[in-house]
Amino acid sequence: MIRTLRVRDERWPTAHVFTIARGAKTEAHVLVVEISQAGVTGRGEAVPYARYGETVEGAMDTVERLRPAIEAGATRGELQDLVMAGAARNALDCALWDLEAKLTGQPAWKTAGLARLDPVKTCVTLSLDTPEAMAEVARGLQRRPMLKLKIGAAGDLDRVEAVRAAAPKTRLVVDANEALSFEDLKRLAPEFARLDVKLVEQPLPAGADEALEGWVSPVPLCADESVRTRLELETCARRYACVNIKLDKAGGLTEALAMKARAAELGLEVMAGCMVGTSLAMAPGVILAQGAAFVDLDGPLLLAKDRTPGLRIDGALIHPPGAELWGA
C-alpha cells in the first residue's frame, strides 16, 4: 500500500460581511486534505476556529506531523487516538471516509450504517445587523422553512421582532454565540417564546452556563460552544435540550456520529451544524444531518461562490453529495 498526503489552505470570499457577536468575517479560510491510494483520492475540508485557539497554519502543522502515520496507513479509528478533536482531525477523518468509499465502492452513508441518504432542509443564517437590515433579508427568505438569527448586541429583541414580522410563518432559531448574561436570557426568553422562537442557541458563555441547571427555559436551549465531543454531553444534558454537533469541533464525522448516538441516549435533540465553508465541508454533514431535529449546513449559501462540483442546493433543500464531490 502506497499512500500520499497533500494539504493546502484555500480562501473563499463570503457573499457579504458575516457578523456574529464575536466579530465579522469576509472570507472562509479553509484547510483541504487529500489522501491518495491505488489511483483514487479522498478529500476533506475543515475550518480552524479561533474560538478554540486554532489557526490554519497550526492545523496544517498538525496534519504534517501526522503525515508519517497517515501515509503508513492509519485508519479512522487510529486517527482518534493520534490527535485531539479539531479542524486538522476533521479534514483527515473526512478524507479517510471519502478514500474508503472510493476504494471499496461502498458509499460513506452505508458505512455509517444508514439505510439510505435523504435530502435535508437547512436553515439559512442571518448575520448580526440592525433590526431593519435583518428584516429586509428575512423578507426575501420568508418562504424558507427555518431562519437562524445571529444576536448578541443592544436591541436583540427588536431584531427578533423585526424578523418575525418580516417572516411570519418560518421557524426561527436565535443564536447568541455566548453573548448574553443569565439576566439577559431570563428577560428575553419569555419574549422569544411569544415570538414562537423554536430554539435559543448558546445564550451564555460556555464557562458560565452552570447557571442553567435547574432553570426551566420558556424556549428550548441548544449548546454549541459548550460541547465539542462526547466528553461534554452528560453535562450538557443537565443544562440544554439540544446540542449543536459540528464536524470541526468534533474532529470529524467518526466522532460526530458517536456524539449523535450518545446524545440520543441522553435524551438530547441534535442540530447538525457547520462553520462557514464550501460544499466539500458540508457533504459529510449531510450524513450527520439524517434525522436531526435541526439542520444548519448553509455554509456554501454564505459564500460569494462555491467550489465546483458542489452540493446541489434547491432553496433550502440540500441533496446528497455526488461521487464527484465526496463519499461515493
Side-chain angles (χ1 to χ4, degrees), residues 9-304:
D9 69 313
E10 297 177 347
R11 294 177 183 269
W12 295 84
T14 57
H16 307 283
V17 177
F18 183 72
T19 305
I20 67 173
R22 273 192 298 273
K25 66 190 305 180
T26 58
E27 66 178 8
H29 193 187
V30 308
L31 175 76
V32 177
V33 163
E34 296 178 342
I35 304 173
S36 299
Q37 180 182 329
V40 297
T41 298
R43 300 188 300 160
E45 177 186 316
V47 180
Y49 200 37
R51 166 64 178 77
Y52 299 112
E54 294 183 316
T55 64
V56 171
E57 295 75 19
M60 292 179 73
D61 287 346
T62 298
V63 172
E64 288 294 344
R65 177 173 58 81
L66 295 168
R67 177 184 294 276
I70 297 299
E71 293 189 339
T75 65
R76 288 187 290 107
E78 291 167 342
L79 179 65
Q80 312 308 304
D81 296 323
L82 290 173
V83 62
M84 65 184 295
R89 194 175 80 183
N90 178 31
L92 288 164
D93 182 74
C94 290
L96 288 172
W97 274 92
D98 190 27
L99 180 66
E100 183 178 343
K102 289 174 168 58
L103 288 173
T104 65
Q106 175 167 286
W109 59 266
K110 281 192 177 180
T111 302
L114 298 174
R116 64 181 188 273
L117 189 62
D118 293 326
V120 296
K121 290 182 179 180
T122 183
C123 72
V124 180
T125 304
L126 275 63
S127 178
L128 178 63
D129 208 328
T130 65
E132 296 78 15
M134 294 179 76
E136 182 179 353
V137 176
R139 197 168 292 111
L141 297 170
Q142 61 181 296
R143 294 187 182 275
R144 298 295 176 94
M146 184 166 67
L147 299 179
K148 181 194 239 184
L149 290 65
K150 294 292 187 177
I151 66 166
D156 280 337
L157 181 56
D158 293 337
R159 291 181 177 88
V160 181
E161 287 182 324
V163 169
R164 172 50 79 206
K169 296 182 179 180
T170 193
R171 298 167 73 205
L172 296 184
V173 171
V174 167
D175 185 3
N177 288 111
E178 306 182 271
L180 302 183
S181 68
F182 190 37
E183 292 305 313
D184 290 333
L185 179 61
K186 288 190 290 186
R187 173 178 54 84
L188 289 170
E191 298 298 325
F192 292 163
R194 173 179 61 82
L195 294 166
D196 196 26
V197 170
K198 300 301 182 184
L199 197 70
V200 176
E201 191 176 344
Q202 197 65 45
L204 309 186
D209 59 356
E210 67 276 2
L212 299 175
E213 292 192 27
W215 181 64
V216 180
S217 174
V219 180
L221 305 179
C222 178
D224 182 359
E225 287 84 352
S226 287
V227 59
R228 294 190 70 181
T229 68
R230 281 171 287 177
L231 296 176
E232 297 86 21
L233 284 176
E234 290 193 18
T235 299
C236 283
R238 300 195 301 268
R239 303 173 184 178
Y240 298 93
C242 181
V243 289
N244 186 339
I245 301 176
K246 296 177 180 175
L247 272 63
D248 282 309
K249 293 190 301 179
L253 182 60
T254 301
E255 172 63 18
L257 291 173
M259 287 181 69
K260 183 180 178 183
R262 180 59 179 148
E265 293 173 352
L266 293 168
L268 288 162
E269 289 192 322
V270 165
M271 174 185 285
C274 71
M275 308 301 186
V276 181
T278 78
S279 281
L280 180 57
M282 303 305 123
V286 176
I287 293 177
L288 176 66
Q290 300 296 300
F294 300 89
V295 177
D296 179 17
L297 297 179
D298 67 341
L301 300 177
L302 302 174
L303 299 177

